[in-house]
Amino acid sequence: MRLPVTPIAAYLLVLGWASIPFAPAEPVLVGAGSYAAIGALHLPFVIAAAATGSLASDLAKYAIGRAAGPAMLERLSRRESGARAVEWIESRARRIGPAVIVPSYFVPFGVVAATLLCGALRMRLGPVIVSSTVGAALWSAMFVLLGYAGGAVTHNPLTGALLALPIALAIGALLSRVATARTPG
């Protein structure tokens, strides 16, 4: 099955979609990974495009956090899932600083809250960039590789994505549970 757009357009789509601050990019990453399995895209380029877009999104949310500060976090906390994410992130961010961004990628609304909070708390940009880069790379690689596995098993990118997406979401939910589990001290 052929890619419905040129590879360059596909990489730009992945980069662009992953850079939208509040849009779920996982289905796009899984789909692109599935196309990489049949050779329509290069796997490292898909992961790099997704991670770069996600990093850009993190930096935008950090800037919003610096500008809007506590008012933005208050607004995010109005939703139950947002309030849980803000509470979880804030408790850890006060202990470990921007490194909290890495596991927050696997908590619903976590990376949103983490990057906004890092900005609101006026944490230094350098460590935020490092943490966001690591988190974005791990997150991107996980979802793209799950799509790749689905495409490799089925030899069809659409069937592969349909197979991999529920597995990716289940793994994401499991990682969210692990990341948010209470840790001593």
Side-chain angles (χ1 to χ4, degrees):
M1 176 173 265
R2 286 180 40 113
L3 190 63
V5 296
T6 66
I8 296 293
Y11 299 130
L12 290 174
L13 173 70
V14 169
L15 182 133
W17 196 265
S19 69
I20 300 171
F22 303 100
E26 293 84 359
V28 173
L29 273 58
V30 168
S34 192
Y35 271 100
I38 65 160
L41 297 172
H42 295 288
L43 184 64
F45 292 171
V46 175
I47 293 170
T52 301
S54 185
L55 176 62
S57 174
D58 286 355
L59 295 177
K61 291 177 286 199
Y62 173 83
I64 291 168
R66 281 191 71 88
M72 180 61 75
L73 292 173
E74 172 65 30
R75 184 178 174 130
L76 183 63
S77 293
R78 289 182 190 155
R79 293 180 62 176
E80 184 181 337
S81 59
R84 282 194 312 264
V86 168
E87 178 185 332
W88 184 85
I89 298 297
E90 188 169 10
S91 70
R92 281 148 182 87
R94 296 219 181 261
R95 276 198 330 259
I96 65 171
V100 73
I101 293 170
V102 177
S104 74
Y105 261 91
F106 302 99
V107 177
F109 291 105
V111 75
V112 172
T115 51
L116 287 170
L117 184 64
C118 287
L121 295 175
R122 306 289 196 262
M123 292 184 180
R124 290 189 355 223
L125 182 59
V128 168
I129 290 172
V130 169
S131 296
S132 289
T133 300
V134 171
L138 291 172
W139 172 80
S140 298
M142 182 183 94
F143 284 101
V144 171
L145 288 171
L146 286 167
Y148 186 90
V153 166
T154 64
H155 304 289
N156 180 304
L158 300 178
T159 307
L162 288 174
L163 171 69
L165 191 56
I167 295 168
L169 295 175
I171 290 172
L174 177 63
L175 288 173
S176 174
R177 279 185 160 273
V178 169
T180 58
R182 291 246 182 240
T183 56

